[in-house]
Amino acid sequence: MRRSAAVIAALAISVGGCARALRPVDAGSPLGSADRASADPAAAQLLMQAAETAFARRPDLAQVREAEQLWLRAAVTDATNAEPIVGAVRAQVWLAENDTDQQRRRDTATESVSTAQWCSRREPANPTCSYWLALAVGVQANQRRATANDGLQVMVRALHAAIERDERTDHAGPHRVLALVLVRAPGWPTGPGDPDTGLVHAEQAVSLFPDFPPNWLTLGEALHETDQPQRSLEAYRCALEAARGQLDHPDAVVWIQGAEATLGDDEGGCTITVAAAGNLF
Amino acid sequence: MDAPPLPPVAATFLCDAMLKTVLLLLTLTLTGSGATAPLHLVAWAPGYPGSTTQAQPTMDEFARLLANAAGWDADRVTAEYQETEVGGLARLTHEGTQFALIPLALFFKYEDQLDLHPLAQVVGPGGEASETWCLVAPAGRITGPGDLAGWTVMGIPGYSEAFVRGNLLGAWGPLPSNVNVEFTRRVLGGIRRASSGENVAVLLDSAQTAAMASLPNAGELEIVATSERVLLGLLVSVDTRVEASTEEALSGGLMRVHESPAFAELLSTVRVSRFEPVDQEAIASSREAFDKAR
């Protein structure tokens, strides 16, 4: 998963709007009518493997759309498992951020929220479902500004729920995304924005997964927003170093671009170390 | 628009009269192009959320609707958002910026330097063009301005020390000279510091003051001063870079923008309900308070 920088880009300036972020799920969806009794986990597993392979070929749009369909088929094939639904939401969130057609981005964003709601319905205590619901609501807010106000509240609740259940989901994704929300959203009392608390979550994400470049990118942004420009640059250097160590990752180019956009010609290396206790130095 | 070059043969036979005619035509052409010259507006709000890039889609829509309201082509006006003091200052110093939307504190700070002229004032979502600010401090420690000696007073308007001392706290009394007035976007961080007993007092706008009771640490704090009412914000022209007729067309358009449902919705996202003519008396009395504190 990339840093989801665009997930909440629009939220930072959207303080108005009154549409609800969550709507009742479509009872007619194939996800709702899937029969648990006739679940075929083995077949679903094959579909999920094919979906992962296709999704790894991003930024090829056709391949990501193929991955989305494969995951949805897997979710219907095995109605006892939320994992393929999570996969479908991952693909939809990616498409909602990257599809070249604006209308398709809007439609897919709305669809991703509905799919994520089915995930939570299938496994209400699954932290991954809460996490991806937050991301889906974020891309929806980006595409449909009227949902931003309510969407921010939904995101914060879902991310806190994910942290409570499993903060390690998606390389500390709940901490990372919550940090971005708190750093970028309008501040109190208009919105949940609170850069100081955002920094705490960014530091926790790095402490848990220091090898994951998006965590460093988020920390760099949080340090910048809390008026620590020098440490911010150091964090971006760590992001670059971590990304360059994973060049075979489908999102490595995006991570490197994200770091280089801030660093420019800066040639320094990563000097922040993570102690065993998780403290940053 | 450049005039087309004259053919060499024609130029040879130009007499004075013809030259005058050509110059007159050229002047008219340039005047005509001035009437449709592009206009740029900067929404300059240090301490408020979002960045220039993030806000650009909203600013594009704002510019398009504003041009329509002024009766111009939709692409005549461009607009951008600047969330830092230094960024906005650079953009307003640039010749290509003719208008700005700014809070009152910035207006007084840069009125002379940038030759700013108010054209309209902002009306907030509650229908008021002005608001009060409150100073919040650790409960039981501040009974008057003198108690703040050596303290830090922080808040969004902290980028203008004279505005804080004169307009927001002047009516309460003069602050000791060793009070550190500090800008911060992170008001919640300031509140946390104050509620934990640090020598910190925080300036809150009316919306923040109204919401203070909902904070978990509200019991540790108290309001020690409330300002006179100050205007929320102004639309200003910069350095007389356009003709009066252009300013009038823009102001006229602004006064009507709230009548458009699309524009009203857009304005609501930035907590503006409409624009109205400038209250010159309010500006004059605020300027007096500001000048005294400079």
Side-chain angles (χ1 to χ4, degrees), chain A residues 29-248:
Chain A
S29 161
L31 293 174
S33 55
D35 184 2
R36 297 174 72 89
S38 60
D40 185 346
Q45 200 61 41
L46 289 174
L47 289 167
M48 284 194 286
Q49 284 170 5
E52 279 293 356
T53 303
F55 190 58
R57 295 195 181 113
R58 60 193 185 281
D60 185 324
L61 280 175
Q63 287 293 319
V64 178
R65 289 192 198 110
E66 173 70 11
E68 176 203 9
Q69 292 308 311
L70 287 165
W71 266 315
L72 286 171
R73 279 171 54 196
V76 174
T77 303
D78 181 4
T80 64
N81 186 3
E83 191 183 340
I85 304 187
V86 169
V89 182
R90 282 170 65 198
Q92 288 167 344
V93 164
W94 191 93
L95 289 167
E97 288 186 301
N98 294 283
D99 201 307
T100 49
D101 182 88
Q102 185 180 359
Q103 189 56 48
R104 275 207 304 264
R105 284 201 304 273
R106 285 172 62 92
D107 294 344
T108 312
T110 306
E111 206 175 335
S112 70
V113 174
S114 174
T115 309
Q117 286 177 280
W118 277 113
C119 184
S120 295
R121 186 172 277 208
R122 193 172 280 190
E123 292 185 13
N126 187 329
T128 311
C129 293
S130 300
Y131 171 61
W132 282 99
L133 175 65
L135 286 169
V137 167
V139 291
Q140 176 183 252
N142 213 20
Q143 297 298 329
R144 295 175 55 223
R145 298 286 179 89
T147 66
N149 206 14
D150 183 46
L152 278 170
Q153 311 303 327
V154 172
M155 288 181 82
V156 170
R157 280 199 305 272
L159 291 166
H160 277 299
I163 288 169
E164 281 174 20
R165 291 168 189 158
D166 184 3
E167 62 182 350
R168 302 175 66 84
T169 301
D170 191 23
H171 304 91
H175 283 300
R176 180 174 65 251
V177 176
L178 183 57
L180 288 173
V181 171
L182 296 176
V183 163
R184 295 179 181 176
W188 171 83
T190 312
D194 180 1
D196 296 291
T197 305
L199 175 60
V200 172
H201 285 285
E203 287 176 337
Q204 284 175 324
V206 165
S207 299
L208 287 167
F209 290 94
D211 294 333
F212 194 57
N215 291 344
W216 286 109
L217 291 169
T218 301
L219 180 61
E221 186 169 336
L223 287 165
H224 180 266
E225 293 303 312
T226 50
D227 303 322
Q228 301 177 70
Q230 199 52 47
R231 291 202 75 213
S232 169
L233 283 178
E234 289 176 21
Y236 280 108
R237 287 185 204 123
C238 295
L240 189 58
E241 202 167 286
R244 283 176 174 161
Q246 303 174 49
L247 291 175
D248 55 341

Side-chain angles (χ1 to χ4, degrees), chain A residues 9 12-17 145 184-190 193-197 224-227, chain B residues 49-50 54-55 57-58 185-189 191-192 204 207-208 211-212 214-215 268-271:
Chain A
I13 55 161
S14 298
V15 296
R145 298 286 179 89
R184 295 179 181 176
W188 171 83
T190 312
D194 180 1
D196 296 291
T197 305
H224 180 266
E225 293 303 312
T226 50
D227 303 322
Chain B
Q54 291 162 0
T58 302
R185 294 168 294 155
R186 291 141 50 206
V187 175
L188 267 187
I191 287 176
R192 286 194 194 101
L204 303 182
Q208 291 164 343
M212 202 180 84
S214 66
L215 291 173
S268 73
T269 68
V270 288
R271 302 184 63 76

Side-chain angles (χ1 to χ4, degrees), chain B residues 133 157 162-172 203 225-228 230:
Chain B
W133 286 72
F163 190 79
V164 171
R165 288 178 178 272
N167 298 81
L168 300 187
L169 300 175
W172 187 38
L203 288 161
T226 302
S227 76
E228 305 278 354
V230 293

Side-chain angles (χ1 to χ4, degrees), chain B residues 22 47 60 69 126 164 226-227 279 283:
Chain B
V22 169
D60 289 343
V164 171
T226 302
S227 76
D279 181 345
I283 291 201

Side-chain angles (χ1 to χ4, degrees), chain B residues 129-146:
Chain B
S130 62
E131 66 175 342
T132 56
W133 286 72
C134 287
L135 185 69
V136 170
R141 294 182 55 193
I142 302 294
T143 57

Side-chain angles (χ1 to χ4, degrees), chain B residues 256-292:
Chain B
R256 295 189 297 272
V257 291
H258 60 281
E259 295 167 8
S260 150
F263 213 138
E265 185 182 342
L266 181 75
L267 289 177
S268 73
T269 68
V270 288
R271 302 184 63 76
V272 173
S273 66
R274 60 189 167 84
F275 293 89
E276 66 180 20
V278 176
D279 181 345
Q280 295 291 357
E281 278 185 27
I283 291 201
S285 90
S286 287
R287 186 184 286 116
E288 194 178 335
F290 182 82
D291 286 343
K292 270 186 195 167

